[in-house]
Amino acid sequence: DQQVKQNSPSLSVQEGRISILNCDYTNSMFDYFLWYKKYPAEGPTFLISISSIKDKNEDGRFTVFLNKSAKHLSLHIVPSQPGDSAVYFCAASPDGNQFYFGTGTSLTVIP
Amino acid sequence: DAGVTQSPTHLIKTRGQHVTLRCSPISGHKSVSWYQQVLGQGPQFIFQYYEKEERGRGNFPDRFSARQFPNYSSELNVNALLLGDSALYLCASSRTVVNSLYEQYFGPGTRLTVT
């Protein structure tokens, strides 16, 4: 049973525009959320996190929004750059340790 | 500082065989987690070890086992391999198990193919 879902397997965006990646979850016990970025032949790399006490967290070009009532989070990348092209995974956890991952969204930023 | 290292990089096994995958965490990290990533899916949690003790287990059969050594390196063992065990096996290390939210670093993975 997939508790974390990323319904868009792929996304293409022009360089300089905004990329919005979405993630939905079903378990109301999830309180910690992460976004990871993965390049081919590498392990996932931590990008940004948010806990349920916040609804927004910003780090440079990356902003994560959390809507607990809708069990939805999103990652905004502004402005998008070609180096951002990668697979993005969202992950959720009830305790900050055991994480459940989504299936990933492949982002392509077109120069 | 070296990152998380995993060996081997690639492995081909036959159904019914046994496999051992190895992971060395970042220096100073005491927790190791294992994940299975099947093609087209996200990583699925298998185990977490901290200070040589199992601290968490995902929904995997008893054919999967792991251990952590005094130097905090870890092995993942899979017995009686099935075709469905073909996947990328990822190891992640973190300094502790308390709020490891910001500190989970992944290795490059071991690609296991079962024929």
Side-chain angles (χ1 to χ4, degrees), chain B residues 1-15:
Chain B
D1 272 349
V4 178
T5 59
Q6 292 186 243
S7 63
T9 306
H10 295 88
L11 201 52
I12 299 175
K13 290 284 191 178
T14 305
R15 274 178 297 177

Side-chain angles (χ1 to χ4, degrees), chain A residues 48-109:
Chain A
I48 193 168
S49 65
I50 191 167
S51 64
S52 60
I53 60 172
K54 290 184 159 185
D55 56 15
K56 176 182 173 182
N57 188 26
E58 202 168 345
D59 183 4
R61 297 185 296 113
F62 302 91
T63 303
V64 56
F65 295 92
L66 175 63
N67 183 333
K68 277 216 78 174
S69 60
K71 296 191 182 70
H72 177 83
L73 66 157
S74 61
L75 175 68
H76 292 208
I77 307 174
V78 184
S80 301
Q81 299 174 355
D84 296 331
S85 296
V87 177
Y88 290 78
F89 292 98
C90 66
S93 171
D95 57 7
N97 291 312
Q98 180 175 333
F99 282 91
Y100 298 83
F101 281 74
T103 52
T105 296
S106 178
L107 173 67
T108 301
V109 180

Side-chain angles (χ1 to χ4, degrees), chain A residues 34 43 49 89 96-98 101-102, chain B residues 37 42-43 45 97 100-102 107:
Chain A
L34 303 175
S49 65
F89 292 98
N97 291 312
Q98 180 175 333
F101 281 74
Chain B
Q37 186 179 10
F45 174 77
V97 290
S100 64
L101 185 70
Y102 304 99

Side-chain angles (χ1 to χ4, degrees), chain B residues 18-59:
Chain B
H18 162 91
V19 69
T20 298
L21 310 180
R22 295 178 175 84
C23 171
S24 292
I26 292 171
S27 177
H29 285 194
K30 297 182 178 181
S31 175
V32 169
S33 297
W34 287 95
Y35 290 82
Q36 179 196 65
Q37 186 179 10
V38 174
L39 196 62
Q41 300 292 318
Q44 300 289 314
F45 174 77
I46 310 175
F47 287 110
Q48 183 183 49
Y49 275 78
Y50 177 69
E51 291 281 14
K52 302 182 291 294
E53 291 191 2
E54 182 182 305
R55 298 295 294 264
R57 184 183 183 115
N59 187 23

Side-chain angles (χ1 to χ4, degrees), chain B residues 58-112:
Chain B
N59 187 23
F60 279 80
D62 291 343
R63 299 185 296 108
F64 288 77
S65 64
R67 56 179 175 167
Q68 187 177 32
F69 298 99
N71 66 353
Y72 305 112
S73 66
S74 177
E75 283 183 354
L76 175 69
N77 295 285
V78 187
N79 291 323
L81 285 166
L82 304 174
L83 294 179
D85 295 331
S86 296
L88 179 69
Y89 288 84
L90 293 163
C91 171
S93 79
S94 57
R95 199 172 299 274
T96 70
V97 290
V98 177
N99 195 20
S100 64
L101 185 70
Y102 304 99
E103 296 191 28
Q104 193 167 217
Y105 297 89
F106 282 85
T110 293
R111 172 72 62 189
L112 172 65

